[in-house]
Amino acid sequence: MMDAAHIPIAEALGITPGVTLRTFGMRRSGNHAIINWLARNSVDGSVFLNNCAAGQPASDSARAIEVNGEWRGKRNVRHMSELTHDAGDAPMLIVSYEDIAPDIDDLRAGLTADLPDGFIHRDLLLYRNFMNWAASLLRKIQQNDDQDALACLRIMMVSLDKYRDLLELIAQTEEDTDVLAINYDRWCARPKYRERVLAALGLPCRDNGLGKVQPYGGGSSFQKGTEEAAELKVSQRWRDMINDPTFQIVLLAASQDDDLIRLMHRLMPQDSELLSAYLNQAQFPYQVEVTE
């Protein structure tokens, strides 16, 4: 086996990685909150490569880089090692992917071009329960001035497909010891859940708090300016959006996807019940008599 110090990503970053993790999650699913928490519980420092491109070297394609929790700009940097060489003796390496749900066969098929599959300790599938995820994503999209209602719906429909695919991957890998699913809702609400995740990854529990609100994606879509993650009302987002006409269309569209409903019933039964209750109240589909 290739020595860890001589794998391509290690040479590019000038480090010898310790625990190496990859994360996959849809936007607005708490990805950065969980990643920041993992980094805070690393033993020998951390390097985080954010939002990488599948099939490309992570050291080249990362949209942003953090070293020991500190953001470091890539502009005018000739070699990545200038940013990362001081991370630590064996820093945790976290490579993240957003809005993609690779096929189960692709997880171990060179998806990260500069990181041999054998050096990945665990793939983490980060997901948020449907109702709050859909509400948060839609609110974020609506805040873009150039997105009208139809544009928002187009983005949401594509995202629904990817969200369902990620849930399918989670269901398929429940027994895979190389893959661990982390539910953002339970992560936020239950310190014991966070402790169990750290134990499953072989990490010490040094800091089990929720930390600061991360700046990626503009922070919270609902509580602008909030700094402490514990102050976010992440479980109530769907309530804030339930009377939004576009959100109602998204819920109705989701209800027609049998595979999504099946996965919701399996992975998040409470959200499945919420969606069913909404549909019953909305009396959908509505029967119209057409007269000559």
Side-chain angles (χ1 to χ4, degrees), residues 10-207:
E11 294 180 338
L13 299 178
I15 62 172
T16 301
V19 174
T20 300
L21 305 171
R22 286 192 308 193
T23 70
F24 300 86
M26 297 297 296
R27 285 181 296 162
R28 319 316 292 180
S29 294
N31 301 332
H32 295 103
I34 293 172
I35 289 168
N36 178 263
W37 165 74
L38 291 169
R40 297 199 311 270
N41 286 284
S42 61
V43 177
D44 295 305
S46 63
V47 173
F48 167 41
L49 304 180
N50 177 58
N51 196 7
C52 300
Q56 298 182 25
S59 54
D60 291 337
S61 65
R63 300 285 184 86
I65 298 172
E66 287 187 14
V67 176
N68 297 329
E70 175 188 272
W71 182 87
R72 297 188 176 179
K74 296 173 60 176
R75 183 176 296 181
N76 298 324
V77 173
R78 295 182 59 187
H79 302 289
M80 291 297 295
S81 60
E82 297 175 31
L83 303 176
T84 55
H85 70 279
D86 60 342
D89 292 335
M92 175 188 292
L93 176 61
I94 305 174
V95 176
S96 82
Y97 295 90
E98 297 182 13
D99 286 352
I100 67 168
D103 184 90
I104 189 170
D105 295 326
D106 292 336
L107 277 178
R108 301 291 175 181
L111 190 144
T112 307
D114 54 353
L115 182 61
D117 295 329
F119 285 96
I120 300 168
H121 290 78
R122 200 70 77 87
D123 281 316
L124 306 180
L125 307 180
L126 313 181
Y127 71 108
R128 186 176 187 176
N129 288 357
F130 174 77
M131 296 291 283
N132 288 312
W133 167 76
S136 183
L137 180 59
L138 178 59
R139 172 62 67 88
K140 176 62 179 177
I141 297 169
Q142 288 176 332
Q143 290 170 350
N144 297 326
D145 294 336
D146 60 342
Q147 304 288 0
D148 60 17
L150 287 178
C152 290
L153 282 171
R154 283 194 294 268
I155 296 171
M156 289 299 300
M157 294 306 107
V158 172
S159 296
L160 281 177
D161 278 346
K162 295 178 180 178
Y163 179 85
R164 181 199 59 233
D165 291 345
L166 182 62
L167 295 189
E168 189 68 65
L169 182 60
I170 291 168
Q172 292 175 348
T173 55
E174 281 184 325
E175 304 301 321
D176 191 334
T177 58
D178 292 326
V179 181
L180 178 65
I182 302 177
N183 179 273
Y184 177 60
D185 306 75
R186 289 196 288 273
W187 179 86
C188 286
R190 305 177 189 175
K192 288 293 185 182
Y193 179 80
R194 299 195 292 270
E195 290 178 12
R196 289 197 297 271
V197 171
L198 291 175
L201 296 174
L203 297 174
C205 186
R206 294 183 166 188
D207 182 348

Side-chain angles (χ1 to χ4, degrees), residues 218-288:
S220 171
S221 303
F222 291 84
Q223 293 173 258
K224 294 295 184 182
T226 302
E227 295 184 0
E228 297 295 330
E231 298 176 6
L232 297 177
K233 299 176 182 178
V234 298
S235 65
Q236 303 298 314
R237 301 314 190 198
W238 70 273
R239 296 180 183 274
D240 297 328
M241 295 290 287
I242 197 62
N243 291 317
D244 182 290
T246 305
F247 185 57
Q248 292 175 354
I249 294 173
V250 171
L251 295 184
L252 294 176
S255 74
Q256 303 308 293
D257 188 324
D258 292 339
D259 287 333
L260 175 59
I261 297 300
R262 169 181 57 82
L263 291 162
M264 287 175 61
H265 186 71
R266 176 174 176 177
L267 297 172
M268 52 194 78
Q270 183 177 10
D271 279 51
S272 179
E273 292 175 5
L274 285 172
L275 184 57
S276 295
Y278 166 75
L279 293 172
N280 290 335
Q281 181 179 347
Q283 298 181 341
F284 177 82
Y286 182 72
Q287 300 297 319
V288 177

